Amino acid sequence: EDVQIIYGLEAEEHIRSKFDIEVYDCLYVVSDENGEKQLFSIFGELIAKNFLNFDVFGFSWIDAPFSNYIPQWYALNVVDSNGSTIWQLFKNDCLIATSKNSFRVNAEHSRYATTGDDGKFSIFADNSKLLHKELDNYVEIDNILITKVGDVYEIFTIDDENFNDKS
């Protein structure tokens, strides 16, 4: 039989599929006969199903019989109940935000951004507190944030509680 098999860290079989299995670091994606995708952790736990695409942004260290990393931040591209395609952003398996557009995540500093219909960025803290909005572009370098709106660039430092200090 032409199958692909994923084995766990202790050599136990997690899944067997006649369809391609995509492996990403400590995650894997399996499609079924209907083309629906399922996302699993390295431990064989189902994380999500029935999605179109996904992004992984950061990993957390966990202790288990075999220590490894698990996804801290990830986003799923899904079809909502209205038939529209949306992105859902999760942190530690809790839904943080949804958007019509994909997300940028700074996992180290617990911030994320997405664009609106106008293509402008909004940046949020992980508690969904709005930090900046209507940015043409931005870049983060550690705790430094450089924003661009039109021809104006501004530089901010952001502390561990995500408070801005314009310099």
Side-chain angles (χ1 to χ4, degrees), residues 16-31:
R16 178 181 295 253
S17 177
K18 292 181 180 180
F19 304 96
D20 285 341
I21 297 175
E22 304 166 47
V23 179
Y24 303 90
D25 294 324
C26 63
L27 302 170
Y28 58 93
V29 176
V30 180
S31 298

Side-chain angles (χ1 to χ4, degrees), residues 99-102 113-122 134-135:
S99 175
K100 289 190 236 176
N101 302 307
S102 61
T114 189
T115 57
D117 291 337
D118 57 2
K120 297 197 181 271
F121 289 96
S122 293
E134 298 182 13
L135 303 174

Side-chain angles (χ1 to χ4, degrees), residues 2 4 13 15 17 21 23 33 37 39 51 54 62-65 77 84 97 104 121 132-133 139 150 163 165-166:
D2 188 20
Q4 294 184 8
E13 185 177 309
I15 198 149
S17 177
I21 297 175
V23 179
E33 60 273 358
K37 295 181 179 182
L39 179 65
F51 59 93
F54 78 100
I62 61 167
D63 285 323
N77 188 223
S84 300
R104 286 186 187 176
F121 289 96
H132 291 275
K133 65 180 181 175
V139 66
F163 290 110
D165 178 24
K166 185 176 173 184

Side-chain angles (χ1 to χ4, degrees), residues 58-107:
F59 292 91
S60 295
W61 182 257
I62 61 167
D63 285 323
F66 291 89
S67 294
N68 210 313
Y69 287 96
I70 59 169
Q72 180 184 23
W73 289 85
Y74 62 94
L76 298 173
N77 188 223
V78 299
V79 177
D80 69 8
S81 58
N82 297 326
S84 300
T85 302
I86 62 168
W87 282 91
Q88 297 175 324
L89 181 64
F90 295 85
K91 180 179 181 191
N92 299 326
D93 292 331
C94 293
L95 181 64
I96 298 291
T98 61
S99 175
K100 289 190 236 176
N101 302 307
S102 61
F103 290 94
R104 286 186 187 176
V105 174
N106 180 330

